[in-house]
Amino acid sequence: MRLNTFILVVLAVVTCSPTANAQGVRIIEWSRGRSPIAVLFLHGIGGCAVPSGKTAQQSCADGAIDSFRNTQATKSWPELVASDDYRLANSALREILPRPLRMEDLGVWGVDYSRLTTSGCPTFSVAEAARLIRAQIEASKLYEKYEQVIIVAHSMGGLITKNMLLSWQVGNDKGGMLARTIGVFLLGVPSQGSDLAPGGDIKQALLKTLQIDKLANICDRQVKDMFAGNDNTFLHELERNWEQLLGSRRDLSQSQAPLVYCAYETIPEPVVGRYLSVTPVKQLYAHTQCSDEQMAIPQYHTMLPKPLNAQDDVHRAWLSVRLDDLFRKWSKWEFIQFAFLPSDSFDVLAAQVNRNQDAFVLDVSDLKSAKPSVMKFVAPNNFALVAKVARANNLCVDEEWPAGGKGHVWVRPAGKCQP
């Protein structure tokens, strides 16, 4: 019996077969949102990100399951985020944003790479998957649609996230994707591997007797990248580089960006009814560099990213509360500093307002070209910067980030602000 197939059952609970679809990675939009900030979901091995109104059978590789939908729920986790009116860090953001920031204001996106984890990819490693996913994210222009991005990754998706961010650090990050990734949420990620992956586990004889190896057929190479032990140089090197990345990024940004939040499962996954259950990613193996203490979630590994509703532990107690913490700290980061002369830079602005226009677009490049003066504005991103400058000039700014409007915000006369 090959023990690697057992870990695939536990991590994915899915039966897979090769696919002829040439597109291995798809970028999915669940909600464009109404803010310059987006959340990007990455699933684990054998899972799938499913667009609204579709099923896994319609959208994913053969046999892949919806990683984010509880079968008893009316909405998947990304859909819950896109419809949740929970206010994020309300008091901390009051001086920065024109209106309260609600969770539903965030753009909600996802990556489906289920076709990279099927049996047709015996030599497709985690690092190779990360490179292809990174390229598709870059091609989607996601980071041009938003000022900041927050990544929520489950299981192997967390290893891919680390690889992806490291590649932006090493390569020429022209789009500033690494710098503008302000948060990374790692959910049940085998940062130190899993003791269920190949490596001489003592359960091998038992599992062969139970014929678990016949229940799944997923990419062997990725599972081999996740075994726990001193011989796994891939994971050791990845973790070492991840620590260096966080240290260097925080030195450069004079902040703790990106903030990293971690959680792990505590309930063993049932494999053969009540006779056999295992914990794929124990607390010990989920250990990595986190910005806060890891949170224990009373759930199976495969059910971690599948909240039943908005009050579920993983959504409200972990994601919502940690987003509060992220945005409280984000509001104090001095990523951008500009100085402006209102009588100089805003003459044109005032002239347009005096024409009683309902609204006009102010390009961020206009602000960057303003002449220095004693009047200094500091803000964590361009949107917040424009909001501060607008208020100082008796103007107001809509909270929406126009679709396709790279670096633009809608500015209105003070008397015509949205309610």
Side-chain angles (χ1 to χ4, degrees):
M1 200 277 314
R2 294 183 308 163
L3 189 56
N4 58 316
T5 52
F6 170 65
I7 180 61
L8 296 174
V9 174
V10 176
L11 291 176
V13 192
V14 60
T15 301
C16 295
S17 59
T19 176
N21 193 311
Q23 185 177 3
V25 177
R26 295 180 303 148
I27 309 301
I28 296 171
E29 176 188 336
W30 282 287
S31 172
R32 179 59 59 93
R34 296 184 296 272
S35 78
I37 306 163
V39 175
L40 179 67
F41 283 88
L42 268 75
H43 61 77
I45 188 171
C48 178
V50 181
S52 297
K54 299 289 186 180
T55 65
Q57 291 72 24
Q58 295 171 325
S59 305
C60 309
D62 293 342
I65 60 173
D66 190 335
S67 292
F68 304 114
R69 183 180 292 277
N70 188 314
T71 56
Q72 301 178 27
T74 57
K75 296 178 180 179
S76 67
W77 196 12
E79 291 169 338
L80 278 177
V81 171
S83 61
D84 193 344
D85 64 355
Y86 181 85
R87 288 191 178 189
L88 295 166
N90 192 35
S91 59
L93 297 178
R94 190 171 296 148
E95 296 300 316
I96 291 181
L97 301 180
R99 295 188 209 170
L101 178 66
R102 301 178 187 273
M103 193 178 293
E104 63 187 357
D105 295 329
L106 305 175
V108 184
W109 296 70
V111 178
D112 170 39
Y113 63 97
S114 59
R115 289 173 176 81
L116 303 186
T117 67
T118 63
S119 59
C121 61
T123 60
F124 215 90
S125 67
V126 171
E128 289 169 330
R131 285 193 287 272
L132 185 55
I133 290 169
R134 181 202 70 200
Q136 286 286 21
I137 290 175
E138 291 173 352
S140 74
K141 308 298 182 183
L142 175 67
Y143 278 81
E144 293 186 14
K145 297 180 176 73
Y146 298 91
E147 280 284 302
Q148 273 84 34
V149 173
I150 299 164
I151 298 177
V152 178
H154 174 238
S155 197
M156 194 180 79
L159 304 181
I160 287 174
T161 297
K162 291 180 180 181
N163 269 276
M164 185 169 63
L165 297 181
L166 283 165
S167 68
W168 279 330
Q169 180 192 41
V170 174
N172 188 4
D173 186 18
K174 293 181 179 179
M177 277 80 79
L178 173 59
R180 292 188 288 118
T181 303
I182 61 172
V184 176
F185 286 66
L186 301 177
L187 185 60
V189 175
S191 297
Q192 306 300 326
S194 172
D195 57 3
L196 300 181
D201 193 279
I202 59 175
K203 302 183 184 72
Q204 185 169 354
L206 172 62
L207 299 178
K208 183 174 182 179
T209 300
L210 294 173
Q211 296 185 326
I212 301 298
D213 58 317
K214 296 181 180 179
L215 299 180
N217 188 17
I218 306 179
C219 190
D220 291 350
R221 183 65 183 88
Q222 293 158 18
V223 176
K224 292 175 181 176
D225 282 342
M226 292 187 283
F227 77 86
N230 293 331
D231 292 335
N232 193 333
T233 57
F234 165 70
L235 283 183
H236 291 323
E237 188 70 8
L238 176 61
E239 194 62 23
R240 184 181 67 83
N241 290 335
W242 177 244
E243 293 175 359
Q244 292 178 346
L245 167 69
L246 295 181
S248 62
R249 281 302 311 148
R250 290 164 181 175
D251 286 342
L252 288 172
S253 64
Q254 299 300 306
S255 70
Q256 290 299 304
L259 287 173
V260 182
Y261 300 96
C262 310
Y264 58 95
E265 73 261 23
T266 61
I267 301 180
E269 189 97 25
V271 179
V272 183
R274 66 178 183 273
Y275 301 106
L276 177 64
S277 60
V278 293
T279 304
V281 185
K282 301 172 184 176
Q283 180 182 10
L284 173 66
Y285 297 110
H287 178 73
T288 187
Q289 290 290 312
C290 306
S291 302
D292 201 349
E293 63 179 352
Q294 293 206 37
M295 178 173 284
I297 305 292
Q299 190 54 273
Y300 306 145
H301 180 84
T302 55
M303 294 300 292
L304 279 175
K306 300 179 181 182
L308 182 61
N309 53 50
Q311 301 309 315
D312 206 309
D313 291 334
V314 73
H315 180 79
R316 186 61 78 224
W318 185 62
L319 181 64
S320 301
V321 172
R322 295 302 191 261
L323 283 174
D324 279 337
D325 183 72
L326 170 62
F327 284 115
R328 279 195 298 268
K329 294 181 171 76
W330 174 82
S331 67
K332 300 175 183 178
W333 295 340
E334 297 183 359
F335 285 155
I336 300 174
Q337 295 188 14
F338 292 110
F340 304 95
L341 280 172
S343 60
D344 184 353
S345 304
F346 286 89
D347 282 345
V348 176
L349 197 69
Q352 294 188 58
V353 173
N354 289 337
R355 296 195 194 103
N356 295 318
Q357 293 179 342
D358 287 338
F360 57 93
V361 174
L362 176 66
D363 194 307
V364 173
S365 63
D366 295 336
L367 300 182
K368 291 181 179 178
S369 63
K371 295 180 180 180
S373 75
V374 294
M375 189 166 136
K376 193 174 187 180
F377 292 86
V378 177
N381 67 9
N382 287 332
F383 179 83
L385 178 68
V386 171
K388 280 191 173 185
V389 174
R391 281 197 295 271
N393 288 270
N394 197 31
L395 302 171
C396 64
V397 181
D398 281 356
E399 66 178 3
E400 292 197 14
W401 192 254
K406 180 183 177 182
H408 293 70
V409 292
W410 291 99
V411 182
R412 299 177 184 272
K416 297 185 178 182
C417 293
Q418 296 295 305

